[in-house]
Every structure is written in C-alpha cells, then in structure tokens.
Amino acid sequence: MSSQEIIVLNVGGVRFVTRASSLQQFPESRLARMLNDDDREFKLVKGEFFVDRDGTLFSYIMDFLRTLQVSLPTDFSDYQRLQREAEFYGLYPLADLLSQEHLLKPRLEILEVRFSLQEMQAFFRIFGSCSATVEALAERITVFTGQQSGQSWNSPFPSQKPLVPHPLERPSHHDMVLRCGSDYAGDQFVTRYVSIKPDNRKLINGTNVLGLLLDMLLKDGFRLISTRMVSSEEKVECYCFERTKRPTGLTL
C-alpha cells in the first residue's frame, strides 16, 4: 500500500481520515500492521477500518502520530485510560510518555500584589511563584524619578525637567518592589512615576497604577481569586491571582 494513500478509520463510531504514512510512524504498532492485514482486531467494512475502541481518546493518538508530540488540553484527566489505549494500539513510546503524568499536567502559577497608600506615596510589592513571569513583568514596568519645586501629589502635570528611569528593587528572583508619588527632599518634591508597557503613560497616582497593573494581569491570563487586607493599621491590601500554565508538549 502506498504511503500516499488515504485511510479511513472508524473508531467506536468516530471517523478519522489520514495518510497511511501517519499510521506507519511506528512499524511495530498494530496500526501499521493493520495496513498489511496482519491484525484481526481491525475489520475492513465498506472501505473503512473499524475498531471497537474509544473514538474520543483516539483523536489524541492521531495527533501524536501526526506530530510526535503529546499536547493535551488543560482540563484533560484521563491519563490512565489514554495510556491503556496507547498500549492497545502497540504505541509503547506514547504509553511511556503518558506514564510521565506529572510532566503533562498543567501547573498552577500564583502571583500576589500588595499595595499600600501612605500620605503622598504608594508602595507596591509583587510576589510570583514563577521567576520567569516576575522577570517578564519587571521588564514591562519602569519607574521614573525627577525633582521639581512646588508640585503636589495630585498634580496632572509632569516635571519640566527630564525624568530619569530608576531600576526596580529586586529582593529576590520571585519578587519586586516599586513606589510612586511624591516625597519632600529639602525644599523640593522628589517624584516617582510608574509606566507599564504597552501603556505609555507615566502615572504618579498609586490608585491609577494599581488599576493599570491589575488590568494588565487579567489580560495576560491571570484570574483574580482573592483580595484581603494584610494590615488594617498600615492599610496594606493584597490581591492574589492564579494562572494555569499549559506544560510544553513532550516530544518523542
């Protein structure tokens, strides 16, 4: 049979159309032997190979044969059943990959934003369970500092002097600290503006910065799961987010 021929399979009532070459990826498998009429489990009925197995799970097996990669939905849970199906079809490399269930399951990522408003300044501390996410977030946030006289905390007008980018405080790979607002230094205000890409504004008001930060996290796939007051005396608010990270598909 030519590897370019089109094969139709009926697995438990679900039809699949593929090339013979896809089924021959693993010559020792029952699917490859089926093409040579070497397996009685697969019956040829009206031009279609019929097998009485789970058609839904077979869709994942076909995806593996086409890509040689295991990529499952984030809500997938039938690892043992799919492993049994792989063993039934003689696809033992796939069964071995499925046995590494802990590598295939989605991982939960937690991010916590703490916000405190004190007089003319707002303080932020961001904790993340994934250091790569914290690093990416730090690249999007810039604090600009400047000095000017007579400017108040709520003034909408930026400093006339050039603002200087100020590096974020990074206590560890998993958190960062920043602040915005105004503070006295002699007879001048030292101001700190926060800019969060892709938004180009430089914000001095802590509530505005908080709103932009939370909106960015929601758009990036995080879900707000809780809010609480960490310290009522210091008015420290805590916003907790989670995101389900799809694991990288295991490749054979």
Side-chain angles (χ1 to χ4, degrees), residues 133-148:
T133 297
V134 178
E135 292 289 344
L137 189 58
E139 292 179 359
R140 297 176 64 176
I141 299 176
T142 306
V143 176
F144 295 88
T145 61
Q147 290 185 348
Q148 56 277 331

mmCIF file of all heavy atoms in Angstrom, residues 133-148:
data_model
loop_
_atom_site.group_PDB
_atom_site.id
_atom_site.type_symbol
_atom_site.label_atom_id
_atom_site.label_comp_id
_atom_site.label_asym_id
_atom_site.label_seq_id
_atom_site.Cartn_x
_atom_site.Cartn_y
_atom_site.Cartn_z
ATOM 1 N N THR A 133 7.985 34.732 35.060
ATOM 2 C CA THR A 133 6.900 35.705 34.966
ATOM 3 C C THR A 133 7.284 37.007 35.642
ATOM 4 O O THR A 133 7.009 38.103 35.133
ATOM 5 C CB THR A 133 5.620 35.139 35.606
ATOM 6 O OG1 THR A 133 5.201 33.983 34.866
ATOM 7 C CG2 THR A 133 4.500 36.166 35.597
ATOM 8 N N VAL A 134 7.927 36.914 36.809
ATOM 9 C CA VAL A 134 8.352 38.114 37.524
ATOM 10 C C VAL A 134 9.387 38.879 36.703
ATOM 11 O O VAL A 134 9.353 40.111 36.626
ATOM 12 C CB VAL A 134 8.909 37.752 38.911
ATOM 13 C CG1 VAL A 134 9.407 38.987 39.639
ATOM 14 C CG2 VAL A 134 7.822 37.063 39.748
ATOM 15 N N GLU A 135 10.298 38.154 36.063
ATOM 16 C CA GLU A 135 11.302 38.801 35.218
ATOM 17 C C GLU A 135 10.638 39.520 34.052
ATOM 18 O O GLU A 135 10.980 40.658 33.718
ATOM 19 C CB GLU A 135 12.294 37.761 34.685
ATOM 20 C CG GLU A 135 13.189 37.138 35.736
ATOM 21 C CD GLU A 135 14.233 38.105 36.269
ATOM 22 O OE1 GLU A 135 14.458 39.142 35.624
ATOM 23 O OE2 GLU A 135 14.802 37.830 37.335
ATOM 24 N N ALA A 136 9.665 38.869 33.413
ATOM 25 C CA ALA A 136 8.971 39.479 32.281
ATOM 26 C C ALA A 136 8.184 40.705 32.726
ATOM 27 O O ALA A 136 8.119 41.717 32.013
ATOM 28 C CB ALA A 136 8.044 38.461 31.624
ATOM 29 N N LEU A 137 7.587 40.625 33.906
ATOM 30 C CA LEU A 137 6.823 41.750 34.434
ATOM 31 C C LEU A 137 7.757 42.918 34.756
ATOM 32 O O LEU A 137 7.417 44.082 34.497
ATOM 33 C CB LEU A 137 6.067 41.306 35.685
ATOM 34 C CG LEU A 137 5.045 42.281 36.268
ATOM 35 C CD1 LEU A 137 3.981 42.625 35.237
ATOM 36 C CD2 LEU A 137 4.394 41.686 37.509
ATOM 37 N N ALA A 138 8.930 42.629 35.297
ATOM 38 C CA ALA A 138 9.888 43.680 35.622
ATOM 39 C C ALA A 138 10.360 44.419 34.376
ATOM 40 O O ALA A 138 10.655 45.616 34.427
ATOM 41 C CB ALA A 138 11.081 43.077 36.365
ATOM 42 N N GLU A 139 10.418 43.725 33.243
ATOM 43 C CA GLU A 139 10.827 44.368 32.000
ATOM 44 C C GLU A 139 9.767 45.324 31.469
ATOM 45 O O GLU A 139 10.074 46.214 30.681
ATOM 46 C CB GLU A 139 11.142 43.297 30.947
ATOM 47 C CG GLU A 139 12.373 42.465 31.265
ATOM 48 C CD GLU A 139 12.640 41.401 30.224
ATOM 49 O OE1 GLU A 139 11.839 41.321 29.255
ATOM 50 O OE2 GLU A 139 13.633 40.665 30.359
ATOM 51 N N ARG A 140 8.526 45.135 31.899
ATOM 52 C CA ARG A 140 7.441 45.985 31.415
ATOM 53 C C ARG A 140 7.186 47.192 32.316
ATOM 54 O O ARG A 140 6.453 48.096 31.936
ATOM 55 C CB ARG A 140 6.153 45.161 31.285
ATOM 56 C CG ARG A 140 6.259 44.038 30.273
ATOM 57 C CD ARG A 140 5.010 43.178 30.240
ATOM 58 N NE ARG A 140 3.845 43.920 29.810
ATOM 59 C CZ ARG A 140 2.646 43.377 29.633
ATOM 60 N NH1 ARG A 140 2.477 42.080 29.863
ATOM 61 N NH2 ARG A 140 1.626 44.112 29.246
ATOM 62 N N ILE A 141 7.743 47.179 33.515
ATOM 63 C CA ILE A 141 7.499 48.260 34.484
ATOM 64 C C ILE A 141 8.756 49.121 34.610
ATOM 65 O O ILE A 141 9.852 48.607 34.806
ATOM 66 C CB ILE A 141 7.109 47.690 35.854
ATOM 67 C CG1 ILE A 141 5.823 46.860 35.749
ATOM 68 C CG2 ILE A 141 6.914 48.811 36.865
ATOM 69 C CD1 ILE A 141 5.409 46.187 37.036
ATOM 70 N N THR A 142 8.568 50.423 34.493
ATOM 71 C CA THR A 142 9.668 51.371 34.654
ATOM 72 C C THR A 142 9.249 52.457 35.632
ATOM 73 O O THR A 142 8.134 52.970 35.559
ATOM 74 C CB THR A 142 10.049 52.021 33.314
ATOM 75 O OG1 THR A 142 10.324 51.003 32.351
ATOM 76 C CG2 THR A 142 11.285 52.906 33.469
ATOM 77 N N VAL A 143 10.133 52.776 36.553
ATOM 78 C CA VAL A 143 9.909 53.882 37.488
ATOM 79 C C VAL A 143 10.791 55.052 37.060
ATOM 80 O O VAL A 143 11.994 54.887 36.866
ATOM 81 C CB VAL A 143 10.227 53.463 38.937
ATOM 82 C CG1 VAL A 143 10.085 54.659 39.879
ATOM 83 C CG2 VAL A 143 9.309 52.330 39.382
ATOM 84 N N PHE A 144 10.186 56.227 36.901
ATOM 85 C CA PHE A 144 10.916 57.430 36.527
ATOM 86 C C PHE A 144 10.945 58.377 37.728
ATOM 87 O O PHE A 144 9.915 58.584 38.385
ATOM 88 C CB PHE A 144 10.237 58.137 35.349
ATOM 89 C CG PHE A 144 10.252 57.342 34.069
ATOM 90 C CD1 PHE A 144 9.232 56.444 33.782
ATOM 91 C CD2 PHE A 144 11.283 57.494 33.162
ATOM 92 C CE1 PHE A 144 9.243 55.710 32.606
ATOM 93 C CE2 PHE A 144 11.305 56.773 31.977
ATOM 94 C CZ PHE A 144 10.286 55.872 31.691
ATOM 95 N N THR A 145 12.092 58.941 37.994
ATOM 96 C CA THR A 145 12.215 59.878 39.112
ATOM 97 C C THR A 145 12.601 61.264 38.589
ATOM 98 O O THR A 145 13.222 61.401 37.532
ATOM 99 C CB THR A 145 13.283 59.410 40.109
ATOM 100 O OG1 THR A 145 14.555 59.336 39.439
ATOM 101 C CG2 THR A 145 12.928 58.055 40.684
ATOM 102 N N GLY A 146 12.190 62.250 39.348
ATOM 103 C CA GLY A 146 12.523 63.623 38.981
ATOM 104 C C GLY A 146 12.375 64.530 40.188
ATOM 105 O O GLY A 146 11.788 64.146 41.211
ATOM 106 N N GLN A 147 12.911 65.731 40.094
ATOM 107 C CA GLN A 147 12.804 66.712 41.169
ATOM 108 C C GLN A 147 12.242 68.010 40.608
ATOM 109 O O GLN A 147 12.593 68.436 39.526
ATOM 110 C CB GLN A 147 14.175 66.995 41.806
ATOM 111 C CG GLN A 147 14.717 65.847 42.619
ATOM 112 C CD GLN A 147 16.005 66.205 43.329
ATOM 113 O OE1 GLN A 147 16.610 67.239 43.040
ATOM 114 N NE2 GLN A 147 16.419 65.369 44.267
ATOM 115 N N GLN A 148 11.328 68.591 41.363
ATOM 116 C CA GLN A 148 10.772 69.884 40.998
ATOM 117 C C GLN A 148 10.225 70.547 42.249
ATOM 118 O O GLN A 148 9.972 69.888 43.254
ATOM 119 C CB GLN A 148 9.667 69.758 39.938
ATOM 120 C CG GLN A 148 8.528 68.855 40.316
ATOM 121 C CD GLN A 148 8.836 67.396 40.037
ATOM 122 O OE1 GLN A 148 9.604 67.092 39.139
ATOM 123 N NE2 GLN A 148 8.257 66.515 40.811
#
